Amino acid sequence: MSAATLCAWNSEVHFDPVPAWGPASGHALRHAGIHFDAVRVIGLLCEQIAYEIMQFTDFQAGPIVRSGIGERSMFFLLPPQTVAA
């Protein structure tokens, strides 16, 4: 999947600042595919994709999660049922 594809998806997707499925405080596990979809990108490419998405959306991109363990990767969170398209 190219950075341009992710940017195009992200420009049409709008997240609420505080999603209804998020906890009021602390941490909570949530199911990918039900509450949100996640696209995982591994390696140095993830940094470039995140940078381009932030530039393309004027720093209003949806949630981006950087993995702190294992190999370098990022998860780009999207509304449920958008990745299948």
Side-chain angles (χ1 to χ4, degrees):
M1 181 175 312
S2 71
T5 302
L6 284 175
C7 288
W9 282 354
N10 208 5
S11 68
E12 300 169 5
V13 172
H14 302 285
F15 274 98
D16 294 329
V18 180
W21 49 264
S25 64
H27 298 85
L29 295 176
R30 296 293 186 238
H31 293 283
I34 295 174
H35 300 288
F36 56 87
D37 284 356
V39 175
R40 181 178 181 208
V41 180
I42 301 171
L44 295 176
L45 182 60
C46 65
E47 301 283 339
Q48 182 64 33
I49 291 171
Y51 175 79
E52 289 184 24
I53 288 174
M54 295 301 288
Q55 293 294 313
F56 183 77
T57 62
D58 196 28
F59 295 91
Q60 299 298 313
I64 300 172
V65 179
R66 181 190 312 247
S67 177
I69 58 172
E71 61 188 324
R72 179 181 295 194
S73 64
M74 289 186 174
F75 294 86
F76 297 87
L77 305 185
L78 302 167
Q81 310 303 313
T82 57
V83 173

